[in-house]
Amino acid sequence: MLTIVQTCTLIGIDGVVIRVEVNLSNGLPGFSIVGLADPSIKEAKERVRVCIQNSGFSFPVKKIVVNLAPASIKKSGTHFDFSIAVGILIASEQIEKTTPRSEAFLAECSLNGDIRGVIGCLPMVLALKSAGVKRIFLSEENWIECLMVKEIELIPVKDLTDFVACYHNKKETEPRSALDKVDQIHYSVLGDFSDIQGQSEAVRAMQIAAAGRHNALMIGGPGVGKTMIAKRMPTIMPLLTEEEQIATMKIHSVAGMPLETIIQGLPPVRMPHHTITKAALVGGGNRVLPGEISLAHHGILFLDELPEFDRHTLELLREPIEEHRIRIARSAHSIEFPSDFILIAAMNPCPCGNYGSKYHPCTCSRRERKRYLDHISGPLRDRLDLFIEMEEPLYTYEPSQKTVTSQELRASVLLARQHQTERYQHEMFHSNAELAGGELSKYCQLSRDSKRLLQQANRKLRISLRSIVRIQRIARTIADLDQEDQIKEAHLLEAIHYKQNSSRYWGDGE
Ligand SMILES: [Zn+2]
């Protein structure tokens, strides 16, 4: 007897619907799975057999052939278990046959009969929904991550016996109130900008970075609070829109990462160590997985100790910074992952960390310093808009320093973002950081005095034309934070200041 049930597989971060054909026939008893299945699926045979037996059902003593169609797609993962088990139960007439095209099954079977969660459940649920599936049985573990997908019935099951009860509609499924548990936003877990003592310039620069989606580099010795600042970035950014949330969750789901903060709408912040491999940073590996740059999609990628990263690895960031996605080539095909992030980088001013310090002497030679700084190539520096020189921490205790809260910063960032959304509503881009060429002159119109100021900067400070573009972008964001349509000289002067920070280290000839 032939039975067909549906499940899904992943290609990159997208699901593809798979038909599981289960045929039971008389003949020498056996169990085979065909249809370009990798070893993880072949192992399903043992899990499914024991799971069925330990759940009080009988495993048919027949010749069982399972075909995963279409056979042209390479399949991997443990989530095929459940659909194979259901197919066998229907084919052996232990459970009723229903409407196969409108149902799907996504879970791993365990030996004691439990139905377990799988990675990448959300993108698979989305793919099944677009294919017209109306009801999906999945594990309780995966249920919450998929609740954002509307207009589809998601039925969480504990074990195979529980599944059979739900399948025959003998058990009521809980309503979606489970989402209420995660509805509250817990900013407190991320800390607050008011925790940061001093560093007013860095805090201001982060406000600008969050408002215009600019990439930034903080330069300062160890222990000045660079990591503390980067960690708090999501608290001053707008919450993710539903569309952004789903896009970000798909990536995290495929990588098997926790999803709680994204479900709350908080942008992700990723902080990979400088020893990270190329594949872990940009994506790749045997089973092509998204890397840190994609896990930071719609959020923050924080790279501490920037010059310590492998130079070739850093150069790989250029494409995603420009195009907001990364393409990973494989022999047969290429996989694309979205990677639209704000890059916040940090570094010491020199290898020993004391260059420019009032309290500690720098022990580095000029050559050592230059080699250290040269690790960050010109093209990569070109993609950074804001350069910040961190203050050295004071050794005297000054409790009276005024700090600004994340809530205050977020309010101004939201207003500045709103200006950009309105201004760029007919454009292909949506933030000041993306302004270039014709758009730059269209949206950053300058008064005669402002033009003169830039010309002076160009001549006297020897600021290159490329840097002038960056100055205008930043000035546009500063004006947006000030609720001004016109870029004023004060906005330009502040923007020039961030450029001068870079000149102090790398000179002007960029
Ligand atoms: Zn030094």
Side-chain angles (χ1 to χ4, degrees):
M1 183 185 169
L2 175 70
T3 295
I4 297 170
V5 293
Q6 285 192 118
T7 187
C8 203
T9 196
L10 285 170
I11 295 182
I13 52 161
D14 294 306
V16 179
V17 178
I18 299 292
R19 231 171 39 248
V20 180
E21 304 167 349
V22 181
N23 192 60
L24 261 57
S25 60
N26 293 325
L28 203 59
F31 186 1
S32 55
I33 299 174
V34 296
L36 220 58
D38 83 348
S40 65
I41 303 175
K42 303 272 182 193
E43 286 173 1
K45 285 192 283 190
E46 297 312 317
R47 282 194 300 270
V48 167
R49 183 201 307 272
V50 182
C51 179
I52 289 181
Q53 285 166 343
N54 285 349
S55 304
F57 300 98
S58 63
F59 192 81
V61 189
K62 300 238 172 175
K63 183 175 162 49
I64 305 169
V65 178
V66 174
N67 179 37
L68 306 175
S72 56
I73 298 171
K74 207 172 166 190
K75 301 159 198 85
S76 69
T78 54
H79 61 273
F80 292 92
D81 293 9
F82 191 20
S83 54
I84 295 172
V86 173
I88 292 174
L89 290 177
I90 296 175
S92 57
E93 294 173 343
Q94 299 186 70
I95 61 172
E96 287 164 24
K97 185 178 175 181
T98 54
T99 43
R101 284 207 167 271
S102 64
E103 283 172 346
F105 310 89
L106 283 175
E108 181 185 312
C109 290
S110 74
L111 300 185
N112 63 357
D114 284 353
I115 296 297
R116 286 196 184 140
V118 291
I119 62 160
C121 197
L122 176 70
M124 293 196 277
V125 164
L126 288 167
L128 288 162
K129 186 195 159 188
S130 0
V133 170
K134 301 279 178 252
R135 134 167 138 134
I136 300 176
F137 292 90
L138 36 69
S139 76
E140 288 185 330
E141 289 158 55
N142 286 136
W143 187 44
I144 295 231
E145 80 173 68
C146 300
L147 279 179
M148 290 198 58
V149 188
K150 297 188 181 103
E151 290 153 25
I152 191 159
E153 194 183 356
L154 298 169
I155 306 172
V157 292
K158 217 168 46 242
D159 52 40
L160 208 55
T161 326
D162 183 35
F163 157 69
V164 174
C166 294
Y167 188 66
H168 291 145
N169 291 322
K170 283 180 191 143
K171 191 189 147 195
E172 293 252 316
T173 51
E174 286 173 57
R176 288 172 183 245
S177 59
L179 258 189
D180 296 345
K181 274 192 273 180
V182 289
D183 254 4
Q184 273 185 327
I185 300 153
H186 301 293
Y187 280 118
S188 54
V189 293
L190 296 162
D192 196 281
F193 262 82
S194 59
D195 304 335
I196 296 154
Q197 289 293 318
Q199 304 299 359
S200 50
E201 185 183 315
V203 172
R204 167 67 171 166
M206 290 302 116
Q207 182 189 23
I208 298 169
R213 306 194 82 252
H214 301 283
N215 298 321
L217 173 64
M218 294 184 269
I219 307 166
V224 295
K226 292 172 284 186
T227 309
M228 223 175 139
I229 288 174
K231 257 191 193 156
R232 285 158 177 73
M233 280 299 279
T235 66
I236 65 166
M237 289 164 70
L239 288 177
L240 299 172
T241 62
E242 207 171 297
E243 200 182 321
E244 288 170 342
Q245 235 173 330
I246 288 185
T248 312
M249 280 171 71
K250 269 173 79 173
I251 302 167
H252 285 244
S253 169
V254 167
M257 296 283 173
L259 299 164
E260 285 83 0
T261 52
I262 305 172
I263 293 177
Q264 288 173 9
L266 288 171
V269 52
R270 303 294 304 176
M271 309 182 136
H273 190 255
H274 59 75
T275 52
I276 192 169
T277 62
K278 279 183 200 171
L281 184 69
V282 299
N286 241 349
R287 213 190 107 225
V288 184
L289 285 176
E292 291 290 336
I293 60 164
S294 297
L295 292 166
H297 187 50
H298 292 312
I300 300 288
L301 179 69
F302 177 59
L303 302 180
D304 198 6
E305 312 272 4
L306 194 64
E308 303 292 336
F309 281 74
D310 176 70
R311 201 182 158 136
H312 298 293
T313 308
L314 281 186
E315 291 306 301
L316 294 174
L317 291 174
R318 283 161 53 182
E319 181 195 329
I321 290 177
E322 289 293 306
E323 299 179 14
H324 302 159
R325 58 166 177 71
I326 182 96
R327 197 174 295 127
I328 294 157
R330 280 289 175 268
S331 52
H333 58 289
S334 72
I335 290 178
E336 200 175 285
F337 292 123
S339 62
D340 186 2
F341 53 85
I342 301 177
L343 173 64
I344 305 290
M347 62 183 282
N348 287 332
C350 66
C352 82
N354 292 332
Y355 181 75
S357 165
K358 285 188 223 118
Y359 310 100
H360 304 286
C362 168
T363 54
C364 312
S365 69
R366 216 184 135 97
R367 234 175 105 195
E368 280 169 331
R369 273 193 58 224
K370 186 173 180 322
R371 200 166 47 205
Y372 179 75
L373 294 169
D374 281 350
H375 263 270
I376 303 163
S377 70
L380 184 61
R381 288 203 308 277
D382 263 347
R383 285 158 177 84
L384 298 165
D385 280 345
L386 290 155
F387 290 79
I388 307 120
E389 244 188 333
M390 305 291 286
E391 291 165 27
E392 202 171 8
L394 293 167
Y395 288 92
T396 49
Y397 180 60
E398 272 189 49
S400 57
Q401 276 207 357
K402 201 182 164 292
T403 56
V404 55
T405 66
S406 289
Q407 202 184 349
E408 288 165 340
L409 291 168
R410 191 168 61 246
S412 62
V413 167
L414 287 176
L415 283 174
R417 287 272 186 112
Q418 207 178 320
H419 278 292
Q420 293 166 71
T421 311
E422 281 162 21
R423 191 184 314 128
Y424 305 137
Q425 56 181 320
H426 302 300
E427 299 287 356
M428 296 292 282
F429 59 95
H430 54 275
S431 65
N432 293 338
E434 291 164 276
L435 282 173
E439 279 89 24
L440 189 83
S441 34
K442 183 172 165 192
Y443 294 113
C444 296
Q445 286 186 1
L446 300 175
S447 65
R448 192 177 295 173
D449 287 344
S450 297
K451 273 185 192 152
R452 196 174 304 137
L453 181 70
L454 272 187
Q455 276 162 3
Q456 278 173 358
N458 182 216
R459 218 173 30 243
K460 286 193 186 158
L461 304 170
R462 286 189 294 151
I463 289 174
S464 66
L465 286 174
R466 239 178 315 170
S467 298
I468 297 279
V469 168
R470 270 184 274 168
I471 289 170
Q472 288 184 72
R473 279 186 207 140
I474 295 287
R476 179 65 267 166
T477 302
I478 298 172
D480 284 340
L481 281 166
D482 269 359
Q483 311 290 314
E484 295 273 4
D485 286 333
Q486 181 70 43
I487 298 175
K488 302 253 166 76
E489 285 169 76
H491 306 140
L492 280 170
L493 283 171
E494 189 180 346
I496 291 171
H497 170 73
Y498 296 112
K499 162 62 202 155
Q500 283 178 299
N501 282 340
S502 139
S503 306
R504 260 194 288 283
Y505 290 87
W506 287 279
D508 302 304
E510 286 176 39

